[in-house]
Amino acid sequence: MDTIAAIATPAGVGGIGVIRISGPDAARVLTACTDLCRVPEPRRLVFCRVLSGEERVEEGLAVYFPGPHSYTGEDSAELQVHGGPVNTRLTLQAVLSAGARMAQPGEFTRRAFENGRLDLSQAEAVMDLIDASSRKSALISLDQLDGALGRRIRETRESLLDLLARIEAALDYAEEAFLDLDPDELKSDIRGRIAVLEELLASARTARIYREGVRVTLAGLPNAGKSSLLNALTGQDRAIVTAVPGTTRDTLDSEVEADGVRYLITDTAGLRDTQDPVEKIGVERAKNAIRAGQLTLFLADASQAPDGEAVSLWNGLEEPRLLLASKWDVSVLRLDTLRDAFPGSDPLPVSAKTGEGLKELWDRIAEVCQVRQISGHEAVLTRERHVDCVRRALDSLRQAAQALDDGFPADIAADELRRAWHELGAITGDTVDEDIIDRIFEKFCLGK
Ligand SMILES: Nc1nc2c(ncn2[C@@H]2O[C@H](COP(=O)(O)OP(=O)(O)OP(=O)(O)O)[C@@H](O)[C@H]2O)c(=O)[nH]1
Ligand SMILES: [Mg+2]
C-alpha cells in the first residue's frame, strides 16, 4: 500500500489550507518535507516549516494520527497551512517530493472503507453530508454516518441467517427434525422481515423529499388569485398582481422552506384559450409546469359562481391535486357548492389577502406529498442504490413466503432467503462487486 496525499480544502482562497497524507510512510513523509526532526506526538498540533529541499516554502501546523485510530485506519498526517492556492500547491509538491503519491478522488474514504473504519453506507453518507442542500438532509446523512442504516441492515441480515440456519438444520435431519420447522412460524418470521424492509423503502421517499424538495404548481383561470397566493405563501412580493385577467405570462418560480422541506412553488399564466401570441406561450408553459410538478394547487375563485371552464380544467388534472377556494375573504359561495361543482375535490378555503387558511394549506401540502417527520437516529435509505438493493431483497423474501404458501420444499425458500441476504449486504459493502465500489468512490471529491 503506498502513501497518498492531496489538498483537502477547496481550491481558492480561505483561512487555512489542509494537506492530507495517509499510508505506511506518512510519518517519514511528514518529517522529510518539514523541519521536524521527529514525528509529533499523536494528535498534537506542532508548528513546523515546510521545506522543498533546503528552501522554506511555507509554515504552519502539523498533526500526526497513527493507525488504526485515524480516518483511514492507516498512519496519517495533516499539514495546515495558509489558505492560498499557490502556497497549498507548493506544500503538496513538497509532500509529493518526499515520497507520497497524489491521491485519487475519494481514496482516503475508500481506504477507510477497506480498512473497516466505515461500511459502504457510511462512506456514502460522508459524500451526502458534503453535498447536503438542506439542514434536514444534512442531519439524515449524519445519522447514516453514525451507522443507523448499517445497523438496521446488519440486524436484518443476521435474522435472515438465523432463519436459514433453522431451515438448513431441518433439511439435514430431514425425518425427525422436519417437525421442528413449523411452516407457519417460518412464514410469519419472513413476513416480519418483509415489514422491516417495507418500512425502509418508505423512508427513501421521505429522504428524497428532504434532499430534493418538492415542486408545487399553482394553476387556475386568469384572475383566480394565483400570483397573490404565491406571494402570500413565500412571504415575498415576487409576482405582479393586478385586477387584469392575464397578468402573468411567464412561469415564475419561488423557493420557500417549511418544516425543513424546500418547496419550489411555480406561479403560472391563467389557463384560457387565447389569440394573444405571448399569452399562448404562457399557457403552454403553464401546462408544462403542471406536468413537471409533484402537486398542483388549483385555484377556484370563490368570489364568483363556479365556472364551467374551471371545472373541466380541474377534471383534466392528474393527481395529486388540491382544490383551493381562493379569495375566501370575499366569498359568495358555500364550500359545499364548490365541492359539488368540482368532482372529487375537498376544497380548502384560502385568502391571500387575510392569510386565512394558509396554515391549513401547508399542512395539506405536507400530507398530500407524504412528508413524514424524521426523528433522530432513524435508519433511512438515502440513495437509489440502496433502494434497488432493498427492492430486490424484498422480491426474494416475498418469493420465499410464496414458496412456503404453495407448499414447495423449504430449500426453495432457503435459496431466496440467501439471495435477500446477499442483496442487503451490498448496502453495507459486505457483498458488493469491485466495479460498484469504484463507481461510488470516483464521484467523491479529491482529498476526501
Ligand atoms: N379579496 C381578495 N382579493 C384577491 C385575493 N387574491 C387575489 N385577489 C385579487 O384578485 C385579482 C387577481 O389576482 P392575481 O393574484 O393577479 O390573480 P392571478 O390568478 O395571478 O391572475 P393571472 O395572472 O391574470 O392569471 C387581484 O385584483 C387581486 O388583488 C384574495 O385572497 N382576496
Ligand atoms: Mg398571476
Side-chain angles (χ1 to χ4, degrees):
M1 191 59 83
D2 42 10
T3 297
I4 53 172
I7 301 173
T9 37
V13 178
I16 54 171
V18 173
I19 289 85
R20 221 176 191 184
I21 307 164
S22 180
D25 264 352
R28 200 194 53 69
V29 168
L30 181 64
T31 47
C33 69
T34 58
D35 61 353
L36 297 170
C37 41
R38 56 193 151 76
V39 198
E41 258 181 70
R43 296 175 289 281
R44 273 282 176 84
L45 283 174
V46 295
F47 177 81
C48 68
R49 294 187 176 79
V50 180
L51 305 175
S52 173
E54 291 301 300
E55 192 196 357
R56 184 184 70 157
V57 290
E58 241 299 31
E59 53 182 42
L61 297 172
V63 60
Y64 178 61
F65 306 99
H69 304 294
S70 66
Y71 180 74
T72 56
E74 307 171 321
D75 290 349
S76 307
E78 280 177 22
L79 281 166
Q80 302 183 2
V81 296
H82 301 96
V86 176
N87 56 302
T88 45
R89 222 172 307 127
L90 284 173
T91 306
L92 177 64
Q93 280 305 335
V95 170
L96 298 179
S97 313
R101 85 156 158 79
M102 188 66 198
Q104 305 279 323
E107 197 169 359
F108 292 93
T109 309
R110 182 170 190 152
R111 288 186 173 195
F113 164 64
E114 278 163 3
N115 291 324
R117 300 284 293 166
L118 299 170
D119 70 30
L120 199 53
S121 71
Q122 287 172 306
E124 290 172 311
V126 169
M127 186 153 82
D128 293 343
L129 185 59
I130 293 173
D131 288 341
S133 60
S134 75
R135 190 181 119 81
K136 205 63 178 228
S137 56
L139 292 178
I140 292 174
S141 305
L142 205 56
D143 280 338
Q144 188 169 318
L145 184 55
D146 254 359
L149 176 60
R151 271 194 297 279
R152 174 65 58 85
I153 295 296
R154 274 188 291 275
E155 282 161 20
T156 310
R157 291 184 85 217
E158 285 287 315
S159 67
L160 291 178
L161 271 191
D162 274 357
L163 280 174
L164 268 171
R166 269 160 54 203
I167 296 176
E168 271 155 14
L171 291 174
D172 284 349
Y173 303 100
E175 300 310 306
E176 69 271 35
F178 204 77
L179 296 174
D180 281 352
L181 195 69
D182 176 356
D184 285 333
E185 193 188 315
L186 199 58
K187 267 187 273 178
S188 101
D189 280 350
I190 294 177
R191 296 236 163 74
R193 298 312 104 204
I194 289 177
V196 168
L197 294 188
E198 279 173 343
E199 196 186 310
L200 266 182
L201 266 191
S203 76
R205 197 192 145 75
T206 312
R208 181 161 181 191
I209 287 175
Y210 282 117
R211 188 174 61 240
E212 295 172 8
V214 180
R215 296 183 78 100
V216 176
T217 312
L218 301 174
L221 294 181
N223 225 28
K226 302 176 294 298
S227 300
S228 305
L229 188 62
L230 177 84
N231 292 342
L233 285 174
T234 58
Q236 294 171 27
D237 192 11
R238 198 66 179 91
I240 300 172
V241 168
T242 74
V244 183
T247 301
T248 305
R249 299 298 188 87
D250 216 338
T251 54
L252 183 67
D253 289 340
S254 192
E255 217 180 87
V256 59
E257 191 170 319
D259 271 337
V261 177
R262 277 183 310 127
Y263 291 94
L264 189 75
I265 304 185
T266 307
D267 182 23
T268 61
L271 300 165
R272 67 172 166 188
D273 272 334
T274 171
Q275 291 313 311
D276 181 316
V278 181
E279 197 178 352
K280 240 191 167 107
I281 298 171
V283 169
E284 218 30 65
R285 290 192 175 183
K287 290 179 180 162
N288 289 336
I290 292 170
R291 273 191 288 273
Q294 283 138 287
L295 166 66
T296 308
L297 302 181
F298 189 85
L299 282 75
D301 187 342
S303 70
Q304 50 187 288
D307 184 299
E309 184 58 25
V311 173
S312 62
L313 284 169
W314 164 259
N315 285 332
L317 282 181
E318 279 175 36
E319 296 286 353
R321 55 181 185 172
L322 277 179
L323 188 76
L324 305 184
S326 63
K327 309 188 192 178
W328 193 247
D329 55 298
V330 288
S331 168
V332 296
L333 305 172
R334 292 180 341 129
L335 270 190
D336 282 346
T337 315
L338 280 170
R339 189 174 288 123
D340 295 343
F342 291 85
S345 74
D346 181 11
L348 186 76
V350 295
S351 165
K353 193 164 179 191
T354 65
E356 183 190 348
L358 295 188
K359 163 93 182 59
E360 290 77 4
L361 175 55
W362 279 121
D363 292 346
R364 282 281 285 280
I365 291 175
E367 187 187 316
V368 173
C369 297
Q370 296 176 31
V371 175
R372 200 172 52 85
Q373 290 303 320
I374 292 191
S375 60
H377 312 298
E378 207 176 309
V380 173
L381 296 183
T382 51
R383 292 187 162 220
E384 268 323 291
R385 191 182 79 80
H386 307 160
V387 172
D388 288 343
C389 294
V390 170
R391 283 222 177 94
R392 284 194 292 265
L394 259 176
D395 264 357
S396 289
L397 292 187
R398 291 196 182 113
Q399 299 275 359
Q402 188 63 44
L404 293 172
D405 270 343
D406 295 346
F408 286 120
D411 53 353
I412 306 247
D415 279 347
E416 295 294 348
L417 292 183
R418 215 168 284 121
R419 204 162 297 151
W421 177 84
H422 187 85
E423 287 296 347
L424 293 179
I427 295 177
T428 46
D430 291 298
T431 56
V432 71
D433 296 339
E434 199 69 14
D435 57 327
I436 292 184
I437 297 178
D438 288 345
R439 235 176 300 145
I440 290 171
F441 284 102
E442 77 197 8
K443 299 213 177 70
F444 271 63
C445 43
L446 206 63
K448 191 66 233 178

